[in-house]
Amino acid sequence: MAHSDTIFALASGALPSGVAVIRISGPHAAAAAVALGAEDLAPRQASLRQLHDPADSSALDEGLVLSFPGPHSFTGEDVVELQVHGGRASVQAILDVLGSQNGLRPAEAGEFSRRAFENGRMDLTELEGLADLVEAETEEQRKLAFAQSRGALREIYVGWRNDLIAMRAMIEADLDFTDEEDVPDSVAAAVFDRVVELRGKIAAQLDDQRYGEIIRDGFRVALVGPPNAGKSTLLNNLAGRDVAIVSDVAGTTRDLVEAVLDIAGHKVIVTDTAGQRDTADPIEREGIRRAQMAAEDADLILRLGRDAPDTLSGTEIFLGSFGDETGTGYDMRSLGTADAIIDLISTRLNELKRSEPPLMSRVRHRRLLESAVEDLGQASDRGKPLELVADDLRSVSERLGRLSGTIATDDLLDAIFSEFCIGK
Ligand SMILES: Nc1nc2c(ncn2[C@@H]2O[C@H](COP(=O)(O)OP(=O)(O)OP(=O)(O)O)[C@@H](O)[C@H]2O)c(=O)[nH]1
Ligand SMILES: [Mg+2]
């Protein structure tokens, strides 16, 4: 899709900064560079240039200018990047000059990436990876997002689409050549085997304990137990700062109080909750209700208290309490406690780790793949006429098309690109 307008924006971070990168993309990119005084640019090579205001030839800045002629550029269009001094006024002066050029306008959030997508430079899964890469705060988030931005999921999904194309071709060839009489069993059996095989591959991709989503969105740990068990003390100790109010009044905490930690390269969200007890106080009851919801959403529940529950679910660990007469509980105030509990959390995270890295990290993917597995389940009914199997397979192809973006609604694209910042 060719755009007639040329967009520009500051692509580097907040000002002031040592260096600022201004990106220009579109048919007038090269002309804009010339207007600023950057002529004779060798493609993909840095050229030192004096930049000036074409209106009065006054000096703007000196900087490096790079030209990436389309289609071999990030957006697929002609792109020029200016590396200039990262002062607010310096950058603003250049942006003002660019804005006054014919055919140029400031870019909207994610607009460079959207053009890259529309020009087939990246598919949706790669763009999602890129959005996550910019947002990544932990090492595992970075690794996952980088792999995805480089096509780790695209490759898998393309493989599956090719499987589907082959199956549909087999069916079509068969339907063309046989008359109304029965379809030779051999073709039906071969298609059936491939349907079952593909269904197995997609199911294996889904069987990941949501690890990718946990990496991207964070591993949720809830601190629960009776009042005065030391939950808020433990939260503060883990966070290394005074996040929650601690007092010897039973029922101090009412709201959910969160602290975000980086444990073994993972984003971990620890939530302190209201102590569980029977109470008539409506506000405390609401706090207890929220505590139960936090426990339901948690990937790991750390239960504090004197009495161990009769049964612990797979996602629960009983920590005991400082007031425990048997002395098995931790001292919630000491730093050693935090180390021991961070070890417990790391162990849980390690149990989720998989050797197969290409992970999905969005519910959008999970939903579409779950539906694809269902379609393939329908298709794998051995007695089913091949025309109807072809319909099921078409539906699977459509779901994969939604994943990669070959079938994309404007709503979905708007939602994805709005996650990007301006300049990306
Ligand atoms: N000696 C000792 N006192 C502790 C320990 N942990 C907490 N306390 C004290 O116990 C009291 C209650 O601690 P909190 O952390 O507020 O307990 P909580 O579980 O958050 O209580 P609620 O918010 O009421 O549910 C405070 O006076 C803390 O100083 C501990 O490990 N050892
Ligand atoms: Mg508390």
Side-chain angles (χ1 to χ4, degrees), residues 357-384:
L359 289 159
M360 304 168 293
S361 54
R362 287 171 194 251
V363 184
R364 185 180 88 80
H365 293 220
R366 181 170 303 282
R367 296 264 153 79
L368 284 166
L369 292 185
E370 280 168 356
S371 306
V373 167
E374 259 170 52
D375 295 334
L376 289 166
Q378 303 274 324
S380 64
D381 171 0
R382 261 185 199 278
K384 201 165 193 175

Side-chain angles (χ1 to χ4, degrees), residues 55-369:
D56 58 6
S57 300
S58 63
L60 284 170
D61 199 357
E62 181 182 67
L64 293 180
V65 184
L66 287 112
S67 147
F68 304 90
H72 304 292
S73 67
F74 174 69
T75 58
E77 302 176 322
D78 287 349
V79 170
V80 170
E81 286 184 8
L82 311 172
Q83 294 185 10
V84 294
H85 292 104
R88 288 198 185 91
S90 299
V91 169
Q92 194 53 53
I94 295 169
L95 294 178
D96 286 348
V97 169
L98 289 173
S100 68
Q101 300 297 300
N102 249 347
L104 265 70
R105 65 164 172 83
E108 289 164 21
E111 204 173 359
F112 292 99
S113 302
R114 189 165 192 149
R115 289 188 175 192
F117 170 73
E118 287 170 350
N119 289 325
R121 302 290 294 163
M122 300 182 103
D123 84 341
L124 218 46
T125 69
E126 290 168 325
L127 279 166
E128 286 171 329
L130 196 60
D132 290 348
L133 187 61
V134 173
E135 293 293 321
E137 286 180 303
T138 72
E139 184 58 7
E140 293 298 326
Q141 287 178 328
R142 179 190 72 73
K143 287 196 277 192
L144 181 61
F146 185 64
Q148 200 168 317
S149 73
R150 301 304 302 255
L153 288 178
R154 174 184 205 162
E155 224 168 86
I156 297 175
Y157 299 160
V158 165
W160 295 345
R161 291 196 90 182
N162 290 341
D163 284 353
L164 284 164
I165 291 167
M167 285 183 241
R168 286 169 63 180
M170 280 164 81
I171 294 177
E172 252 149 55
D174 194 72
L175 295 177
D176 283 351
F177 286 104
T178 49
D179 42 36
E180 269 104 82
E181 281 165 36
D182 54 349
V183 169
D185 286 347
S186 58
V187 173
V191 170
F192 175 83
D193 287 346
R194 295 194 66 159
V195 167
V196 170
E197 191 191 336
L198 180 59
R199 184 166 181 243
K201 285 192 220 169
I202 301 180
Q205 177 81 19
L206 283 166
D207 181 23
D208 60 357
Q209 302 185 75
R210 291 179 47 254
Y211 184 48
E213 283 144 78
I214 285 175
I215 290 176
R216 178 171 181 269
D217 304 329
F219 182 74
R220 295 199 159 267
V221 178
L223 305 179
V224 301
N228 275 350
K231 301 181 295 298
S232 301
T233 306
L234 175 58
L235 179 77
N236 290 350
N237 187 2
L238 285 168
R241 60 197 170 91
D242 240 346
V243 198
I245 301 172
V246 165
S247 88
D248 56 7
V249 176
T252 300
T253 305
R254 306 289 178 86
D255 284 315
L256 300 176
V257 185
E258 283 186 357
V260 179
L261 314 179
D262 181 338
I263 299 181
H266 293 79
K267 176 179 179 181
V268 174
I269 305 159
V270 183
T271 308
D272 177 27
T273 66
Q276 306 281 308
R277 64 168 172 179
D278 286 333
T279 170
D281 180 337
I283 298 166
E284 194 176 353
R285 285 169 79 108
E286 175 59 15
I288 292 169
R289 191 186 69 84
R290 291 182 187 202
Q292 280 155 352
M293 279 169 38
E296 277 165 29
D297 286 347
D299 299 300
L300 176 64
I301 297 168
L302 296 180
R303 190 171 287 283
L304 283 70
R306 276 166 213 223
D307 309 309
D310 299 337
T311 51
L312 278 175
S313 74
T315 54
E316 260 177 275
I317 295 178
F318 182 63
L319 293 182
S321 162
F322 66 90
D324 183 353
E325 264 116 62
T326 63
T328 47
Y330 294 92
D331 186 333
M332 305 303 169
R333 298 166 307 179
S334 79
L335 279 173
T337 302
D339 287 346
I341 289 164
I342 284 169
D343 283 349
L344 287 175
I345 297 171
S346 315
T347 307
R348 281 294 160 117
L349 289 168
N350 273 324
E351 287 164 8
L352 293 172
K353 266 206 173 128
R354 292 158 25 115
S355 51
E356 282 297 313
L359 289 159
M360 304 168 293
S361 54
R362 287 171 194 251
V363 184
R364 185 180 88 80
H365 293 220
R366 181 170 303 282
R367 296 264 153 79
L368 284 166
L369 292 185

